[in-house]
Amino acid sequence: MKILAFSGSNSRTSINQELIKYITQFLNVPVDIIDLRDYELPMFSIEEEQQNGHSNVLMSLYNTVIGYDAYIIAIPEHNGNYPAFFKNVLDWLTRVERSFFRGKPILLFNAAPGPNGGQSVLSIAEKSFPFFNGNIIGTFKLPEFSSFLMKGKIFIHDEGILNILKEQILKIENALNLKTVP
């Protein structure tokens, strides 16, 4: 079984990309982490697609995504919504195949500076990912993430929050019949 993990951020210092790295250490199977910034896509428009079609970069990303059995995705929240960068990636992927998630299990995560912990963007993703045939099996939010940073890296010291995180990770284990690290 292969798991793909990525953040929907285009920031070089993305706390959501750091959250992905932190989360994947709890799985006892290889997880491939990609950086969506490595797949430079123009801003989607019908005219862009008609004039230039589907770029090699888009097809490379699409082929990467469909080659996995499950996904761990951390989505930043910009003004209560997806970042424009991530929405653009979704728009392009759906032009190749609307159901590009192909019913595979997805864990959604968010790290946010405020006390709400990105609940708005997680709710939006829970409603929209099924249109892409995404099977959301769990969500996790890390509010006020700065209190979980040690030397620029995430470290969850609160046992209650850590247990909630591990419960979510257990969902992907169960979905794929994998064994996680306790």
Side-chain angles (χ1 to χ4, degrees), residues 7-14 35-37 76 78 83-86:
S7 162
S9 176
N10 63 343
S11 171
R12 288 186 314 261
T13 59
S14 169
D35 187 334
L36 290 180
R37 293 177 308 132
H78 289 189
F85 169 80
F86 185 61

Side-chain angles (χ1 to χ4, degrees), residues 2-21:
K2 296 175 10 178
I3 299 173
L4 178 65
F6 57 89
S7 162
S9 176
N10 63 343
S11 171
R12 288 186 314 261
T13 59
S14 169
I15 193 64
N16 282 282
Q17 193 73 12
E18 286 302 317
L19 182 59
I20 287 290
K21 293 174 190 172

Side-chain angles (χ1 to χ4, degrees), residues 16 19 75-77 108-123 139-145:
N16 282 282
L19 182 59
I75 308 171
E77 184 173 285
L108 294 175
F109 294 88
N110 172 274
N116 192 28
Q119 185 58 51
S120 295
V121 76
L122 290 176
S123 295
T139 63
F140 174 83
K141 60 182 181 171
L142 185 63
E144 299 174 339
F145 71 81

Side-chain angles (χ1 to χ4, degrees), residues 51-125:
Q51 290 172 6
N52 299 309
H54 297 160
S55 69
N56 291 338
V57 172
L58 171 61
M59 295 311 298
S60 174
L61 176 59
Y62 168 78
N63 288 322
T64 296
V65 170
I66 65 167
Y68 286 84
D69 303 299
Y71 309 97
I72 298 172
I73 305 170
I75 308 171
E77 184 173 285
H78 289 189
N79 297 318
N81 211 325
Y82 294 135
F85 169 80
F86 185 61
K87 175 70 167 70
N88 190 54
V89 169
L90 292 175
D91 288 343
W92 276 111
L93 287 171
T94 62
R95 297 305 289 187
V96 178
E97 178 186 351
R98 180 159 181 99
S99 300
F100 67 92
F101 283 128
R102 298 180 174 189
K104 298 172 187 175
I106 301 170
L107 286 177
L108 294 175
F109 294 88
N110 172 274
N116 192 28
Q119 185 58 51
S120 295
V121 76
L122 290 176
S123 295
I124 290 167

Side-chain angles (χ1 to χ4, degrees), residues 23-38:
I23 291 164
T24 58
Q25 73 178 331
F26 294 102
L27 286 164
N28 196 27
V29 296
V31 178
D32 292 333
I33 300 173
I34 63 170
D35 187 334
L36 290 180
R37 293 177 308 132
D38 293 337

Side-chain angles (χ1 to χ4, degrees), residues 130-143:
F131 289 108
F132 316 133
N133 201 12
N135 175 18
I136 298 168
I137 59 172
T139 63
F140 174 83
K141 60 182 181 171
L142 185 63

